[in-house]
Amino acid sequence: MNELLDVVEVAKRLKCNKNKVYELIKSGQLVGLKLGRMKVSTIELDNFLIRNAGKDLTDPFNVKNL
C-alpha cells in the first residue's frame, strides 16, 4: 500500500536525521512531493533503497560505489 511519509518519518526509516533527508531530496537522489510540507511516498522510498544499494550517500551530490 502506498502512503505519504513526512520527512521525520522518512528519517526514522532511514535511521538518519531530517536534514539528511532534505539533502537527499535537494540532490535528486530521493524524489519528494510538496503538499504544504515535504513528503515522500513509500514506493519512492523503497525504490530509493533498491537504486542505491551498495553506494555511499554521505555526500549525495557526489555518490560513490562502496
Side-chain angles (χ1 to χ4, degrees):
M1 183 170 136
N2 191 22
E3 295 179 59
L4 289 175
L5 305 173
D6 65 23
V7 171
V8 172
E9 293 169 317
V10 174
K12 284 181 185 175
R13 291 191 183 200
L14 293 177
K15 297 185 183 349
C16 66
N17 64 44
K18 65 181 185 176
N19 292 334
K20 178 57 80 176
V21 175
Y22 282 119
E23 202 173 90
L24 290 167
I25 292 169
K26 185 176 181 182
S27 69
Q29 297 297 327
L30 184 63
V31 178
L33 171 67
K34 187 148 185 175
L35 292 170
R37 293 183 182 175
M38 189 63 72
K39 310 234 185 326
V40 176
S41 75
T42 52
I43 291 174
E44 170 56 21
L45 186 56
D46 291 342
N47 289 337
F48 166 79
L49 293 171
I50 292 166
R51 282 192 312 268
N52 291 292
K55 295 186 180 175
D56 177 0
L57 291 164
T58 305
D59 177 3
F61 295 96
N62 185 22
V63 178
K64 298 177 183 171
N65 290 323
L66 294 176

